Amino acid sequence: MDILKKIKELYYDWNINLSHEWDHLEICIRLIKVCNEKCVFCSTDLDNKYIDFEELKLIIIFFIKAYSNKYKLSFVFSWGEPTLYPQLFEISSFVINKGFSLEIQTNAVRFSNPDFLNKFLELQWKMSFFISLHWH
């Protein structure tokens, strides 16, 4: 399959958003269509799907190759509940090891599990978290 066609398909299927400000480009990627809360205002369609890990890497590599020479890139994992993504640590390490910043937007429920929290501590907090506290 043509790489650009595949990227476009994934772009729409997984709500990939780009935010540009001066010399910075933020790539927001939806990893998952699952959540562990039921916020009354949430408009996210939750159909229990996960983005394929290899396709996710393909998206990240595409944006790195296409834009890292022009912009300071950062990645955001958002929508649904990213901490439920099965390969969250692997993909987080992948982004961080490539030298890019990462933000995870989360309700932080899974951080109450010490094993889960310790895996992030092993990444030495080379990322930021946007924590949403309005679940029901």
Side-chain angles (χ1 to χ4, degrees):
M1 178 182 277
D2 176 34
I3 186 80
L4 288 177
K5 183 178 179 186
K6 184 65 177 174
I7 292 295
K8 285 181 184 178
E9 178 183 304
L10 294 168
Y11 186 88
Y12 292 108
D13 286 351
W14 290 97
N15 302 97
I16 299 170
N17 295 302
L18 303 178
S19 174
H20 174 262
E21 187 174 309
W22 299 98
D23 65 342
H24 182 254
L25 182 64
E26 181 179 271
I27 299 114
C28 184
I29 304 172
R30 179 181 194 167
L31 303 180
I32 191 169
K33 295 180 181 179
V34 176
C35 189
N36 52 3
E37 293 295 339
K38 304 234 183 296
C39 299
V40 294
F41 60 84
C42 184
S43 63
T44 301
D45 58 323
L46 301 174
D47 56 11
N48 295 321
K49 291 182 182 175
Y50 303 80
I51 191 169
D52 177 78
F53 182 71
E54 292 304 318
E55 290 180 337
L56 179 56
K57 283 178 34 179
L58 179 72
I59 291 167
I60 291 168
I61 290 168
F62 171 80
F63 282 109
I64 289 171
K65 287 181 177 179
Y67 297 105
S68 65
N69 290 337
K70 300 174 189 172
Y71 301 103
K72 178 183 173 191
L73 298 182
S74 64
F75 292 88
V76 177
F77 297 153
S78 184
W79 301 74
E81 177 48 42
T83 62
L84 297 174
Y85 186 68
Q87 292 97 4
L88 179 63
F89 302 106
E90 293 87 347
I91 201 63
S92 297
S93 294
F94 180 76
V95 169
I96 291 167
N97 290 335
K98 295 275 184 195
F100 299 97
S101 64
L102 174 63
E103 175 182 299
I104 297 176
Q105 296 179 357
T106 176
N107 61 28
V109 170
R110 293 209 54 214
F111 288 100
S112 64
N113 177 324
D115 292 334
F116 184 83
L117 179 61
N118 285 332
K119 284 187 179 181
F120 272 107
L121 291 173
E122 290 172 12
L123 293 174
Q124 300 176 2
W125 295 105
K126 294 180 181 174
M127 63 181 75
S128 61
F129 296 90
F130 178 96
I131 299 176
S132 170
L133 299 176
H134 33 247
W135 59 79
H136 295 266

